[in-house]
Amino acid sequence: MRGVNIATSTQDINIKFDKLREKLLDLTMRNQLLNFRPRTGVIKVVDEISTEIYDILVLQEKKMQFLPKKEDEQKTVDVESDETETDELDEEESDILWELPPPDIEVDDRHKDLFLQTHLEPKELQKRSFNIFQRAKTVFEEQGYNILYLALGLMEWTEVEHSNDIKKAPLILIPVQMERKGVKRSFKIAWTGDDIMANISLQDKLKEQGINLPDFEMPEDKDDVYN
């Protein structure tokens, strides 16, 4: 019986892997990772700082909780559950870009707590949280992978130079899971412990324009998140 040579070089494997990845990636504008458009499957976080979120969620491995719209300056976090679908996000809520603070300025205490602020009313926040939780749970149980991510930062880009058709794409994706202790309790999110990554769809799309978006190397210091 003739022997069969199944050995191959690491370079050949990497080339085949890259080609397979290109086939699997959707590089059309239907992909939310390239052309983010607000939907009910999104909770917009406002008035927070990406580096502080990374520090709390990843470096300290603490759970964080969504905070509804302030009412009489009180933080109301335990609201009733409502399992119906919500309306589309309006235009004002479409921008989830978190800006970094100016350098060498002390960060306000509200950016260092365990709450992620939103502009949603309590019932609306709980509706949206429940729908996101249910969808992620169903996909994981039926297909075995996580679809739930916390996006840090959005990059504005265009397919053609000097175009007015500006797209938005998330930069850093933190895999998270959601949980709650009871029906009338608020949802919390926690980092799954899986690798945090750059937006690989955006990486491949920008290569078409000769732009190299580097991989995300998980820093041990929050200040190195965007370095």
Side-chain angles (χ1 to χ4, degrees):
M1 181 177 180
R2 295 182 179 179
V4 178
N5 184 6
I6 61 173
T8 186
S9 68
T10 301
Q11 183 178 7
D12 290 339
I13 293 175
N14 289 337
I15 292 174
K16 290 179 180 179
F17 178 79
D18 289 340
K19 289 182 178 179
L20 179 59
R21 188 180 78 163
E22 289 175 5
K23 290 181 180 180
L24 293 175
L25 288 178
D26 179 5
L27 297 184
T28 69
M29 292 306 101
R30 296 188 300 270
N31 187 349
Q32 283 278 89
L33 292 176
L34 293 177
N35 184 23
F36 175 80
R37 289 165 293 179
R39 294 179 179 177
T40 55
V42 173
I43 296 176
K44 174 194 173 186
V45 175
V46 300
D47 194 23
E48 297 289 356
I49 300 172
S50 296
T51 52
E52 298 303 321
I53 294 175
Y54 180 86
D55 181 38
I56 295 169
L57 201 62
V58 178
L59 298 182
Q60 299 183 45
E61 298 188 41
K62 293 182 178 180
K63 297 176 182 178
M64 302 191 76
Q65 186 170 342
F66 293 110
L67 195 67
K69 183 178 180 180
K70 290 183 180 179
E71 182 177 350
D72 297 328
E73 300 302 319
Q74 298 296 317
K75 290 186 176 182
T76 306
V77 295
D78 287 325
V79 296
E80 294 184 1
S81 171
D82 191 325
E83 303 177 4
T84 58
E85 183 62 46
T86 61
D87 295 330
E88 293 288 333
L89 291 169
D90 57 34
E91 184 67 23
E92 182 180 355
E93 293 179 327
S94 65
D95 185 4
I96 63 171
L97 178 63
W98 299 319
E99 295 183 356
L100 292 174
D104 302 323
I105 291 182
E106 182 66 24
V107 176
D108 193 273
D109 287 342
R110 73 180 184 278
H111 299 307
K112 297 180 179 180
D113 60 23
L114 301 180
F115 298 103
L116 295 169
Q117 302 176 87
T118 76
H119 279 329
L120 298 174
E121 298 289 345
K123 183 177 288 188
E124 174 74 4
L125 175 59
Q126 197 73 343
K127 287 180 181 179
R128 195 162 297 180
S129 297
F130 178 84
N131 290 329
I132 293 172
F133 169 77
Q134 283 294 100
R135 185 184 174 205
K137 180 181 178 182
T138 298
V139 171
F140 185 80
E141 290 176 348
E142 294 181 354
Q143 303 181 43
Y145 61 88
N146 179 46
I147 62 170
L148 197 57
Y149 291 87
L150 177 69
L152 296 184
L154 283 181
M155 187 183 82
E156 295 185 348
W157 69 285
T158 59
E159 291 187 272
V160 181
E161 190 176 1
H162 305 307
S163 171
N164 292 323
D165 185 14
I166 299 175
K167 316 291 185 183
K168 293 181 180 181
L171 283 172
I172 301 170
L173 302 173
I174 302 177
V176 296
Q177 58 190 13
M178 293 180 69
E179 62 179 39
R180 62 176 175 176
K181 293 183 177 180
V183 173
K184 293 188 177 182
R185 301 296 298 275
S186 297
F187 286 92
K188 293 183 179 181
I189 64 169
W191 175 42
T192 64
D194 294 330
D195 289 344
I196 299 169
M197 66 187 77
N199 184 344
I200 60 175
S201 294
L202 182 61
Q203 283 179 320
D204 276 34
K205 193 66 178 178
L206 292 180
K207 283 181 182 178
E208 297 177 359
Q209 302 183 22
I211 300 173
N212 180 40
L213 181 65
D215 292 331
F216 180 72
E217 302 291 339
M218 292 174 53
E220 296 182 358
D221 188 309
K222 65 181 181 180
D223 293 329
D224 293 332
V225 170
Y226 287 112
N227 290 342

